[in-house]
Amino acid sequence: MGGGYGGGMMGGGWGGMGGLGLVGGGMFLWPLLLVGLVLLLVYRTNREEQTSKTDTALAELRERYARGELSDEEFEARRASLTQ
Protein backbone atom coordinates (compact mmCIF):
# COMPACT_ATOMS: atom_id res chain seq x y z
CA MET A 1 0.00 0.00 0.00
CA GLY A 2 2.25 2.96 1.14
CA GLY A 3 5.43 3.49 -0.85
CA GLY A 4 8.98 3.54 0.34
CA TYR A 5 8.63 6.81 2.26
CA GLY A 6 5.90 6.07 4.74
CA GLY A 7 2.51 6.74 3.26
CA GLY A 8 -0.64 8.05 4.83
CA MET A 9 -1.87 11.62 4.67
CA MET A 10 0.90 13.29 6.65
CA GLY A 11 3.59 10.69 6.27
CA GLY A 12 4.72 11.69 2.81
CA GLY A 13 8.36 11.99 1.81
CA TRP A 14 10.60 14.32 3.77
CA GLY A 15 9.81 15.37 7.30
CA GLY A 16 6.15 14.42 7.33
CA MET A 17 4.86 17.90 6.57
CA GLY A 18 3.04 17.17 3.39
CA GLY A 19 5.92 18.12 1.12
CA LEU A 20 7.10 21.28 2.90
CA GLY A 21 9.54 19.63 5.28
CA LEU A 22 12.98 21.20 5.68
CA VAL A 23 13.31 22.26 2.06
CA GLY A 24 9.99 24.10 1.68
CA GLY A 25 9.83 25.40 5.26
CA GLY A 26 13.37 26.73 5.07
CA MET A 27 12.46 28.54 1.89
CA PHE A 28 10.24 30.83 4.01
CA LEU A 29 12.18 30.78 7.27
CA TRP A 30 15.63 31.92 6.08
CA PRO A 31 14.46 35.04 4.22
CA LEU A 32 12.44 36.10 7.28
CA LEU A 33 15.45 35.64 9.54
CA LEU A 34 17.64 37.57 7.11
CA VAL A 35 15.19 40.48 6.91
CA GLY A 36 14.94 40.52 10.71
CA LEU A 37 18.71 40.65 11.05
CA VAL A 38 19.01 43.52 8.56
CA LEU A 39 16.28 45.49 10.36
CA LEU A 40 18.02 44.95 13.69
CA LEU A 41 21.33 46.22 12.31
CA VAL A 42 19.70 49.30 10.78
CA TYR A 43 17.90 50.07 14.06
CA ARG A 44 21.09 49.76 16.12
CA THR A 45 23.07 51.92 13.68
CA ASN A 46 20.45 54.67 13.73
CA ARG A 47 20.25 54.50 17.52
CA GLU A 48 24.03 54.89 17.87
CA GLU A 49 24.05 57.89 15.51
CA GLN A 50 21.23 59.55 17.46
CA THR A 51 23.07 58.99 20.75
CA SER A 52 26.30 60.51 19.42
CA LYS A 53 24.43 63.58 18.12
CA THR A 54 22.80 64.08 21.52
CA ASP A 55 26.15 63.69 23.31
CA THR A 56 27.74 66.32 21.06
CA ALA A 57 24.88 68.76 21.61
CA LEU A 58 25.01 68.27 25.39
CA ALA A 59 28.77 68.87 25.41
CA GLU A 60 28.32 72.13 23.51
CA LEU A 61 25.49 73.17 25.81
CA ARG A 62 27.65 72.53 28.88
CA GLU A 63 30.47 74.59 27.36
CA ARG A 64 28.15 77.53 26.72
CA TYR A 65 26.82 77.27 30.27
CA ALA A 66 30.37 77.17 31.66
CA ARG A 67 31.28 80.32 29.70
CA GLY A 68 28.27 82.08 31.22
CA GLU A 69 26.35 82.43 27.93
CA LEU A 70 23.28 80.67 29.40
CA SER A 71 21.37 81.22 32.62
CA ASP A 72 20.51 78.32 34.91
CA GLU A 73 16.94 78.23 33.59
CA GLU A 74 18.01 78.29 29.93
CA PHE A 75 20.53 75.52 30.52
CA GLU A 76 18.02 73.29 32.32
CA ALA A 77 15.30 73.86 29.71
CA ARG A 78 17.62 73.06 26.81
CA ARG A 79 19.14 70.06 28.58
CA ALA A 80 15.69 68.66 29.28
CA SER A 81 14.76 69.15 25.64
CA LEU A 82 17.84 67.26 24.46
CA THR A 83 17.49 64.32 26.83
CA GLN A 84 13.83 63.52 26.12
Side-chain angles (χ1 to χ4, degrees):
M1 182 172 200
Y5 288 109
M9 291 180 70
M10 295 294 288
W14 302 26
M17 292 184 65
L20 285 178
L22 292 175
V23 176
M27 192 168 67
F28 297 108
L29 179 64
W30 287 111
L32 287 176
L33 289 175
L34 184 62
V35 167
L37 181 63
V38 168
L39 289 175
L40 179 66
L41 291 173
V42 167
Y43 172 77
R44 289 189 64 177
T45 302
N46 287 341
R47 186 79 175 141
E48 290 172 2
E49 288 177 6
Q50 186 67 25
T51 301
S52 69
K53 288 179 185 177
T54 301
D55 291 344
T56 304
L58 279 173
E60 184 176 333
L61 184 65
R62 287 185 182 113
E63 287 176 15
R64 291 185 63 196
Y65 180 70
R67 287 192 299 256
E69 296 176 12
L70 300 174
S71 69
D72 293 341
E73 294 82 20
E74 287 176 315
F75 173 76
E76 288 300 325
R78 291 180 185 191
R79 186 187 58 78
S81 177
L82 287 172
T83 57
Q84 286 181 347

